[in-house]
Amino acid sequence: MDCPHCGAEMSSLGVNRLQLGRSSVLGGSWNNIASGSIEAEVMLCRMCGKLEFFAVRPQEFQEQDLVQVPCPGCGELHDFDDAKCPFCGMRLL
């Protein structure tokens, strides 16, 4: 693969697990632990240092959404970890 920045050849740094979520002062890293991780192949351009990340999915993996819950405001289903409803904008967290 060629680097989209400088055009040099990129090399793989392997597949790594990238942590999802965020941490906070009060909640510590529990939000990170609960959010899980994603496998990504990391590509590095040794010429300019650009990193590219590509999601790795097993062949048997089919797109699975996060658990859906109804919004208390409008009743529409949304991902359980949304900070606000994507439909009505009601703050959820």
Side-chain angles (χ1 to χ4, degrees):
M1 169 178 187
D2 291 336
C3 176
H5 183 69
C6 72
E9 177 97 17
M10 295 187 87
S11 58
S12 176
L13 295 178
V15 175
N16 293 284
R17 288 195 160 277
L18 303 177
Q19 187 64 47
L20 302 175
R22 59 181 181 251
S23 59
S24 66
V25 175
L26 298 177
S29 60
W30 286 108
N31 286 337
N32 278 346
I33 293 168
S35 296
S37 62
I38 186 172
E39 282 190 332
E41 181 174 12
V42 181
M43 302 291 288
L44 168 68
C45 176
R46 298 196 186 276
M47 189 68 100
C48 70
K50 178 152 181 72
L51 291 172
E52 291 284 328
F53 298 87
F54 298 92
V56 176
R57 298 178 186 201
Q59 286 188 332
E60 69 274 0
F61 179 80
Q62 295 182 359
E63 189 66 33
Q64 294 179 356
D65 294 323
L66 292 174
V67 174
Q68 300 284 297
V69 295
C71 171
C74 68
E76 293 288 335
L77 291 177
H78 62 84
D79 292 345
F80 81 97
D81 64 346
D82 286 340
K84 65 178 184 174
C85 176
F87 302 99
C88 70
M90 181 177 184
R91 187 179 171 100
L92 303 169
L93 295 177

